[in-house]
Amino acid sequence: DGGITQSPKYLFRKEGQNVTLSCEQNLNHDAMYWYRQDPGQGLRLIYYSQIVNDFQKGDIAEGYSVSREKKESFPLTVTSAQKNPTAFYLCASSTLTGKHQPQHFGDGTRLSIL
Amino acid sequence: RKEVEQDPGPFNVPEGATVAFNCTYSNSASQSFFWYRQDCRKEPKLLMSVYSSGNEDGRFTAQLNRASQYISLLIRDSKLSDSATYLCAPASGGSARQLTFGSGTQLTVLP
């Protein structure tokens, strides 16, 4: 089945700890994105990547880091510098071919502080 | 002014009703617009794409007004299963196809 897989579904972070959220896609999409969603809020862009080994900061990149070593993978690390990490994290991907292309989402990771 | 504004609702409508949501956007460079549906504690799922004046898919119609910079979503003959939050997402116009999401409009269809 083609799609976007995020893991784990639930994650707990201890204070001072870095945690990494996984996102893998087998859609052969060029672009991948990470969003954060807080209760009752829209999605805010953390980081995005259009091509392997390149990525750009979104609106709320502080306290987060990413890598894009393979086209199909775009892991997000929530560092200890992110003081309020509790949120629903969503990974998305999109083809860059054609003018009007939507983003498709994985089923998300819920991160909480212990 | 927020980049994308939606009436948060909630909209509570009876089954069979017609309901419409509006979404205003500030980036005049936006060329593509998307409506996503998000169920409670789930990921957003693409409902409709809009890039000309409008688009229709069964009971759902999306319309675009570029002059006034808003898009609308009309749902006819509402079903209980339409209960969800509807997110509006204009594309920013960048090469990476970034989207800017509204906070969503919550719809509850009542029996």
Side-chain angles (χ1 to χ4, degrees):
Chain A
D1 251 14
I4 304 167
T5 303
Q6 289 188 242
S7 62
K9 208 169 178 66
Y10 300 95
L11 187 57
F12 297 92
R13 194 193 90 170
K14 291 180 185 176
E15 206 151 324
Q17 187 182 41
N18 292 355
V19 291
T20 297
L21 284 59
S22 169
C23 178
E24 304 274 332
Q25 53 99 0
N26 60 6
L27 300 167
N28 199 34
H29 284 170
D30 296 298
M32 297 186 75
Y33 314 81
W34 273 106
Y35 293 91
R36 169 185 173 134
Q37 187 176 34
D38 292 281
Q41 303 293 314
L43 282 64
R44 292 185 290 165
L45 184 64
I46 305 173
Y47 268 99
Y48 63 98
S49 168
Q50 294 175 253
I51 195 169
V52 173
N53 292 324
D54 190 38
F55 46 82
Q56 282 76 42
K57 292 182 180 179
D59 301 317
I60 55 164
E62 189 172 342
Y64 299 98
S65 66
V66 293
S67 62
R68 186 92 187 271
E69 295 176 6
K70 298 185 294 182
K71 185 176 183 178
E72 56 270 20
S73 177
F74 191 40
L76 173 75
T77 296
V78 184
T79 75
S80 57
Q82 174 47 248
K83 297 305 178 192
N84 185 21
T86 297
F88 187 35
Y89 289 87
L90 288 155
C91 177
S93 71
S94 170
T95 179
L96 297 179
T97 306
K99 199 173 174 187
H100 307 288
Q101 296 298 338
Q103 294 177 15
H104 300 276
F105 287 85
D107 57 7
T109 293
R110 291 196 179 273
L111 175 62
S112 302
I113 293 186
L114 277 179
Chain B
R1 184 187 169 186
K2 283 186 186 175
E3 280 193 68
V4 181
E5 294 204 58
Q6 292 184 251
D7 182 342
F11 284 65
N12 297 318
V13 303
E15 228 178 331
T18 295
V19 61
F21 312 133
N22 278 342
C23 167
T24 58
Y25 62 95
S26 61
N27 184 356
S28 57
S30 295
Q31 294 290 314
S32 310
F33 305 84
F34 305 97
W35 282 102
Y36 285 82
R37 171 205 166 111
Q38 186 174 27
D39 292 292
C40 190
R41 298 179 70 80
K42 299 281 192 182
E43 77 276 20
K45 290 195 159 104
L46 180 68
L47 181 66
M48 295 188 77
S49 305
V50 190
Y51 31 83
S52 57
S53 60
N55 191 12
E56 186 171 327
D57 183 4
R59 298 183 294 109
F60 298 86
T61 300
Q63 294 208 308
L64 168 62
N65 185 318
R66 288 189 193 275
S68 301
Q69 293 188 204
Y70 77 82
I71 58 173
S72 62
L73 178 68
L74 181 79
I75 305 175
R76 287 181 296 278
D77 188 23
S78 300
K79 312 287 184 198
L80 296 177
S81 57
D82 293 334
S83 298
T85 296
Y86 291 83
L87 302 171
C88 162
S92 66
S95 60
R97 308 284 196 268
Q98 295 104 298
L99 300 179
T100 302
F101 284 84
S103 299
T105 297
Q106 188 181 337
L107 171 67
T108 301
V109 181
L110 305 166

